[in-house]
Amino acid sequence: MMSTHSSIKSTVHESNEELFSLALGKIVCPRPSLLAPLLLLAAHITRGAFAATPLGFVRVVSQGPQTAGFHKALTISPRRLANLNNPAALDAMSFQKIFDKDLAVSEPNPAWFGNGANEQSPNWTNANWLKSRFHFSFAEYNNPRNSHYGVLRVMNDDLVQPSRGFGTHPHREMEIVTYVVDGELSHADSMGTEETLGRGSIQFMTAGTGVQHSEHNRHPSNPLRFIQMWVMPATRGLKPNYGSMHGDKVASSRQNAFAHLVSDVKNSAVSTPVEINQDCNIYVTELSNGSSVDMKIDSGRQAYMLCMEGGCEVGGAHGEEKLVRHDAAEVVGPTNLRVKANQEGAHVLLVEMKGNGDGSRFG
């Protein structure tokens, strides 16, 4: 349980909210004007709880000095707060599409990553060696209202020219999960790991106290496409670690079904090929023409969906929405999704985590 403290600090928080930091925890209030009801509330609720006060709904978003100042406060969006008594509006907000055209696109100078000048090759039609689609603020794309979705801090969709890549660079305090959509990804790191992984494979790193690595497309003629995700860890100061899963080991389980590939290392109720240090799950499916698969997102959970290849129609509490290659969606439970592939089939990734629309770019 939280306890009150005479030392209170208030700072302006985005979306006209205010973040009140107590000695042993933080609470977020969408309509701050008085402290007394907040202090009373803080003595009686625990992290993650919602409660009504004269100021509106508040939520405890972190508790204890070990988390203070590390993660950005995760709050229920003002739009969802405003519609808590409007079930139809909440259903509509349970699935919000993000169009490919609205993603940030980056084509950086090849020299920045240790590559030579751009060159044309038979299987490469882009003018630049790399084309990245950023789903959240990253590098030169800076949007304070789109910096994360729950604990998902980064999702980059990278297309890399043959015989090019990212030279050695450092990471700290992140769980980094990379899914290979097509081609071959070659990884090397400061822990001594060297590995090449193909379609459907996952590599992950606990960056922890610090690690350096490189990622390359060593194939002389075939492009490489991969989805790199950064997940904020539950604990800081972890020992760096590397692991992987070869795609051919789960090729059959992701055909017309969601294969559960990544889970929380502390969750003993499930067994997945990859485990990370956060309450976060990653699923992948490859659907054939007209096939469908269901996915339940429970109350208090949210998900980020990406259509990597092909196209699909997603039904649920929101109605129906079509996604095509590179489209994404924010999902907020409770909802039961049905994903049905179009005539091209569909290759879909879903990142599921705790939350109630935390970090939504839609407000």
Side-chain angles (χ1 to χ4, degrees):
M1 301 291 290
M2 294 177 61
S3 61
T4 59
H5 194 278
S6 59
S7 174
I8 303 171
K9 174 185 177 184
S10 68
T11 57
V12 176
H13 194 53
E14 65 182 65
S15 303
N16 295 318
E17 297 171 353
E18 195 159 345
L19 177 65
F20 294 91
S21 300
L22 282 71
L24 296 179
K26 300 178 183 177
I27 52 181
V28 168
C29 175
R31 294 167 48 204
S33 59
L34 298 172
L35 284 177
L38 293 174
L39 295 176
L40 179 64
L41 176 71
H44 297 286
I45 62 176
T46 59
R47 182 177 63 178
F50 286 88
T53 75
L55 303 181
F57 278 78
V58 297
R59 179 186 180 194
V60 175
V61 293
S62 66
Q63 195 172 2
Q66 71 277 10
T67 60
F70 176 46
H71 294 327
K72 175 180 176 179
L74 305 180
T75 72
I76 183 171
S77 70
R79 284 182 67 216
R80 294 189 67 80
L81 276 172
N83 287 282
L84 285 177
N85 295 317
N86 187 342
L90 290 178
D91 283 347
M93 286 187 283
S94 68
F95 189 95
Q96 298 187 95
K97 180 177 177 178
I98 299 150
F99 291 87
D100 172 24
K101 65 180 179 61
D102 294 327
L103 300 176
V105 176
S106 176
E107 297 187 85
N109 188 317
W112 295 354
F113 296 92
N115 298 285
N118 281 316
E119 298 177 355
Q120 294 301 304
S121 59
N123 293 337
W124 188 257
T125 58
N126 292 342
N128 198 56
W129 71 282
L130 171 69
K131 185 170 186 176
S132 294
R133 287 174 169 84
F134 298 155
H135 287 254
F136 308 103
S137 290
F138 191 83
E140 71 272 26
Y141 170 55
N142 182 22
N143 181 355
R145 299 191 64 81
N146 184 31
S147 62
H148 70 101
Y149 186 63
V151 295
L152 183 59
R153 172 62 190 86
V154 168
M155 179 180 280
N156 292 348
D157 188 338
D158 292 339
L159 183 64
V160 185
Q161 188 175 18
S163 301
R164 301 280 178 140
F166 301 87
T168 301
H169 55 281
H171 291 288
R172 293 177 62 88
E173 305 297 0
M174 279 289 167
E175 301 291 287
I176 301 175
V177 181
T178 304
Y179 181 80
V180 182
V181 180
D182 200 23
E184 297 179 353
L185 173 63
S186 294
H187 165 96
D189 61 45
S190 54
M191 296 177 284
T193 310
E194 291 189 25
E195 188 173 31
T196 297
L197 298 166
R199 180 180 175 87
S201 298
I202 283 183
Q203 57 139 272
F204 78 95
M205 288 195 307
T206 292
T209 55
V211 66
Q212 295 192 19
H213 79 139
S214 64
E215 299 157 298
H216 285 88
N217 178 8
R218 301 291 188 192
H219 200 280
S221 58
N222 293 339
L224 162 68
R225 183 181 170 207
F226 62 89
I227 311 299
Q228 185 162 104
M229 295 156 278
W230 296 8
V231 175
M232 295 182 281
T235 306
R236 296 191 75 178
L238 295 169
K239 180 181 178 181
N241 183 39
Y242 175 87
S244 64
M245 177 212 73
H246 286 263
D248 55 1
K249 293 184 178 180
V250 295
S252 60
S253 63
R254 67 175 185 265
Q255 299 300 315
N256 299 323
F258 269 117
H260 192 179
L261 303 182
V262 178
S263 65
D264 184 355
V265 68
K266 294 182 179 180
N267 185 0
S268 59
V270 298
S271 178
T272 58
V274 172
E275 296 177 336
I276 61 174
N277 294 283
Q278 183 53 269
D279 179 7
C280 180
N281 299 281
I282 299 178
Y283 302 83
V284 172
T285 184
E286 289 192 62
L287 297 172
S288 57
N289 175 11
S291 296
S292 63
V293 62
D294 295 337
M295 172 62 70
K296 181 181 180 182
I297 307 298
D298 290 326
S299 179
R301 308 291 293 185
Q302 64 186 55
Y304 196 81
M305 178 181 287
L306 172 64
C307 181
M308 298 180 288
E309 295 177 308
C312 58
E313 188 172 84
V314 185
H318 62 284
E320 293 185 343
E321 187 72 73
K322 291 182 179 179
L323 301 181
V324 295
R325 182 184 177 96
H326 298 306
D327 287 344
E330 295 178 359
V331 186
V332 181
T335 187
N336 293 303
L337 301 178
R338 171 155 291 183
V339 184
K340 183 177 181 180
N342 65 16
Q343 60 184 7
E344 298 179 73
H347 193 183
V348 177
L349 179 146
L350 185 140
V351 185
E352 187 268 358
M353 67 207 85
K354 185 176 181 180
N356 194 24
D358 300 344
S360 173
R361 73 194 67 200
F362 299 101

